Structure formats: structure tokens, C-alpha cells
Amino acid sequence: MADSTAPAFQETSSDKTDVRRFHVNVPEAELTDLRRRINATKWPEKELVADTSQGVQLATVQKLARYWTTDYHWRRYEAKLNALPQFITEIDGLDIHFVHVRSQHTNALPIIITHGWPGSVIEQLKVIDPLVNPTAHGGSAEDAFDIVIPSLPGYGFSGKPTAPGWNPPRIARAWATLMQRLGYTRYVAQGGDWGNAVTEFMAVQEPAGLLGIHTNMPATVPADVSKALAFNQAPPADLAPDERQAWDQLDFFYKNGLGYAIEMNKRPQTLYGIVDSPVGLAAWMIDHDARSEEMIARVFEGKTEGLTRDDVLDNVTLYWLTNTAISSAQLYWDNAHHPTGGFFDPRGIKIPVAVSVFPDELYAAPRSWAEKAYPKLIHYNRLPKGGHFAAWEQPKLFCEELRVSFRSLRSGVLAKSAA
């Protein structure tokens, strides 16, 4: 157990632009305070309906709270994180935390993978070893990756911006700087949620060395569909069956699932309650989208799903201990006030793109939309299961998708980092 007088997060080296080693060590007093706050939760009345149309159900959150105080152990996750090579480096005036794991296989392909909200680097931990060490997981040495997984600004152990402006294009430029600083001259990128926006802007910016990208939440929605959804109009009459399915999913999300995003777009600083209450934070985070919420509810009923109760609480606890409830929400405000187009609008990407469609994502992008959005579409596949947190929920499927997606781009000498 950690010394309660030790700093929560330790790093070495004094030069901010150096790549500095990083270690997590949360004081025991913070964990004690967390449990105290959970036990002191002031509960509302039960929802008035039998479904989740009024929000996350009371029974789900009370089961989560009970498990959090009785069976959950942060030190297990802390040890898992500290077993990985973690680093901090300053880019554009802000400390960026990242996990960097290099493969022992020759000519491993470097990849930078970006999480979203309400995610963190924990989303990708299950895919690290299968991608870095594919021969131990049913793959071949030729499919090996070097992996870089940064924490978004204001998220996890990265620094918190002190001024507006950290929107996806700026983060994309920072990620290109990070890969260059690590010595990579040829690499690929991957993302979902905000990670997709950052990854797609990397593709738009075409930094030296970026060979292509992979996304599990692509921006492919045609202009006429976006317009009809925005103005609550009828869908275009010529939609194919898979396009109509995507329309129905988007229509549901825009009408029923955008509450959290609207608040964070417009008034993130008002969310004091989720900084003060761990249970409030947990409820806010698991209400991201209907299918993920339903899955998490089943998890806390004791059913086996893609995620476990510990998975969910590792992520929520990370947000709590780093006090990033509002700093992470600022990304929504920054994106809205430094607009770069609609979240699902095609961005005019010219480099190779691979798309993996998981059925329980916010919308299942049809091949026809992907082909129009990405002229150099090198891979498209619809998976049998999985949702918004694809790497976290279905790591085996996710890893196989990355291996297949980038095989055509593996050529030449791939520079290794000396860091």
C-alpha cells in the first residue's frame, strides 16, 4: 500500500519537454475519503417509470455504490497501470501523459490510440499485449505494433488546460509532435469518440509519417441526412436499409441521448455536483449512451458482459482521483466554441482509412457512407457484437480489426523510439 504522505502522481526528470518517467501513487487518505463520500450519498426517490427513459435507474447506481465501498480495490488497478511504461512530456505548454509499450518483434508498426469521453487510457489496456505481442494471442509477428496511448488534455494524468483552445485539431497537432518526439517517422493512428475526432484531424493535417488511420466511430453522415436530423425532418426517401438503420440510431441519439453533451457544450463549469459527489460522477458517466448504460446495468446485476464491475469503477475512480470531471467536460465547450464542423460530418480525409463498425455504437456507419467519406477506404467490416467502448468491451475483435486494417500499409523501415 502507498505511503499516505506521498504525492499522488510522481515523475522524474526536470526538463519539461523531456520524455519523463511517470508513476501513480494515490495517498490512502484519498481512498478513505472516497469511501466516506460514497457512504454519505443523499439518494433521490426511485424513478417513476419502469424503463431508463428518466435516466440511470436508482437500483443500478445503488448496486454500483455498494460494490464500490465493499469489493472494489483501486490498488489492483494502480498496480496494473504502474506495470506499464508511463511517461509525461510537455507539448504546446501542457503536460501530456501517455503509455508507451514497444514490441520485441522486428518492424512493429507504431500506432497512437486515442480514447474519448467518458473514457481514459483504461479503455485500451486490454489490447496492449495482444497488439504488442501478437504471437502470444493467435497473431503473427508481422502484425506487431508499438503502442502509444495518451491521455487527452484535461483527462486522467495529463495536464489541465488553463486557457481555452484545446480542441481536436490542436490535440491532433500535439499527437503528431508526440510521435515525432518518440522518434517515429512512419506510424498509424486509431480512435473512437473524441479519439476519432482527434485521429481524423490528424489525417486531415497529414503530418509527416502518418500512413493511415483506423476508426470505430467514423464521421460519415451525408449532408442531407445531417440537415434532416438537425431540423427534425423526415429521412431522405432513397435511403438503403442499412442507411435507414443508421438514420434511426442517430435520430434516437439526437432526441434522447445528447443531454450530457449539451450541458458540457454550453455550461461545463456548472457541473460542481459531479466534482463533489462520486456517486453523482458515476451516474453522469454511465449515462453516455443507451446501449452502454443498459450493458453496465446488467453488469451490476451480476451478468457477464464485455465489461466487468471493476472495469467500470476503475474508470470512474480514475476520474475521481484526478479531479477531472469538469476539466474533461471542457473539451465539449472548446469544440463548440472553436467549431470544426459537426461531429459526424465527413472531413475530407485523403489518406487511407479503415473502418470497423460495432453494432451497438451510436450509429452503425453504412459502407456506402464510408466509401463517400473516405476515398481511400482500405478496410470496412461490420462486427457481430460490441458497442461504443469497442477496445474495452471486445478486445479480441478490436485487435483483429487493427491487424487486418493496417496490413496493406506495412512497408519500408519503421523507425523505433530510443525513449
Side-chain angles (χ1 to χ4, degrees):
M1 300 294 283
D3 181 350
S4 63
T5 63
F9 315 116
Q10 301 170 341
E11 57 184 79
T12 59
S13 181
S14 58
D15 187 338
K16 294 295 186 181
T17 60
D18 280 352
V19 175
R20 297 163 274 148
R21 284 278 184 176
F22 182 82
H23 184 83
V24 183
N25 188 14
V26 174
E28 188 64 26
E30 293 193 26
L31 301 177
T32 300
D33 179 65
L34 170 59
R35 288 188 289 269
R36 178 189 65 78
R37 287 171 179 266
I38 297 168
N39 286 325
T41 300
K42 184 175 182 179
W43 294 102
E45 291 75 20
K46 183 178 182 294
E47 62 278 357
L48 304 180
V49 293
D51 56 27
T52 60
S53 60
Q54 291 189 337
V56 184
Q57 293 181 319
L58 179 64
T60 297
V61 184
Q62 288 184 326
K63 289 172 185 174
L64 178 152
R66 282 195 294 272
Y67 187 86
W68 208 353
T69 55
T70 57
D71 296 292
Y72 174 75
H73 301 286
W74 164 261
R75 298 298 182 197
R76 173 196 51 79
Y77 171 65
E78 185 177 89
K80 184 186 300 185
L81 196 57
N82 283 332
L84 296 168
Q86 296 178 85
F87 303 90
I88 290 277
T89 189
E90 184 182 290
I91 301 175
D92 195 9
L94 193 70
D95 274 347
I96 299 298
H97 163 265
F98 61 99
V99 175
H100 182 200
V101 185
R102 291 175 292 175
S103 176
Q104 297 302 308
H105 293 294
T106 303
N107 288 337
L109 179 63
I111 184 170
I112 183 167
I113 305 179
T114 309
H115 67 83
W117 187 94
S120 64
V121 295
I122 190 177
E123 286 185 57
Q124 285 85 29
L125 295 191
K126 296 176 186 177
V127 306
I128 292 175
D129 197 61
L131 292 177
V132 170
N133 187 21
T135 55
H137 299 271
S140 65
E142 291 73 23
D143 287 328
F145 291 87
D146 283 359
I147 296 186
V148 179
I149 308 172
S151 297
L152 288 167
Y155 288 67
F157 305 117
S158 281
K160 299 175 183 179
T162 57
W166 277 96
N167 62 355
R170 185 174 178 181
I171 299 171
R173 290 190 291 271
W175 279 196
T177 298
L178 175 59
M179 295 303 279
Q180 182 183 42
R181 188 169 295 175
L182 294 175
Y184 291 126
T185 59
R186 293 163 65 83
Y187 63 93
V188 294
Q190 196 286 328
D193 194 84
W194 282 117
N196 173 69
V198 171
T199 300
E200 290 205 1
F201 275 108
M202 291 183 74
V204 169
Q205 294 163 5
E206 297 187 34
L210 181 62
L211 303 175
I213 67 169
H214 173 275
T215 174
N216 55 282
M217 198 181 82
T220 68
V221 180
D224 61 335
V225 173
S226 289
K227 181 181 177 182
L229 286 165
F231 290 97
N232 200 26
Q233 297 172 351
D238 59 349
L239 295 181
D242 59 343
E243 295 171 338
R244 181 55 194 259
Q245 178 196 15
W247 164 280
D248 290 340
Q249 290 174 314
L250 287 164
D251 188 47
F252 176 86
F253 180 64
Y254 288 159
K255 289 177 178 176
N256 301 286
L258 271 176
Y260 71 93
I262 292 170
E263 179 67 18
M264 292 193 289
N265 275 344
K266 297 182 182 299
R267 310 284 287 179
Q269 192 64 34
T270 301
L271 296 170
Y272 295 96
I274 63 174
V275 175
D276 189 59
S277 166
V279 167
L281 175 63
W284 183 261
M285 290 173 66
I286 66 178
D287 199 20
H288 175 271
D289 68 277
R291 285 177 288 277
S292 293
E293 179 196 343
E294 291 165 2
M295 176 187 62
I296 291 170
R298 293 193 297 270
V299 167
F300 282 97
E301 289 171 1
K303 298 178 182 177
T304 301
E305 296 283 349
L307 300 182
T308 67
R309 290 176 291 190
D310 283 346
D311 285 336
V312 175
L313 288 173
D314 286 342
N315 192 48
V316 178
T317 306
L318 177 61
Y319 272 71
W320 176 262
L321 293 174
T322 55
N323 193 23
T324 48
I326 284 180
S327 60
S328 62
Q330 296 285 4
L331 178 54
Y332 286 80
W333 188 95
D334 250 322
N335 189 66
H337 287 76
H338 300 86
T340 55
F343 204 82
F344 296 124
D345 292 347
R347 298 185 170 98
I349 295 172
K350 298 176 183 178
I351 69 172
V353 179
V355 174
S356 298
V357 178
F358 290 84
D360 290 332
E361 183 51 275
L362 302 186
Y363 85 105
R367 178 187 288 271
S368 57
W369 292 3
E371 289 173 343
K372 292 176 183 176
Y374 310 120
K376 291 187 178 179
L377 185 68
I378 57 172
H379 174 78
Y380 175 93
N381 189 32
R382 298 177 74 97
L383 285 304
K385 57 183 176 180
H388 185 70
F389 304 99
W392 204 15
E393 298 171 36
Q394 302 297 332
K396 185 175 181 179
L397 292 176
F398 183 88
C399 289
E400 182 55 31
E401 283 296 288
L402 289 195
R403 292 171 188 156
V404 172
S405 293
F406 291 125
R407 279 175 186 156
S408 65
L409 300 182
R410 290 176 181 267
S411 62
V413 178
L414 302 175
K416 288 277 190 174
S417 166

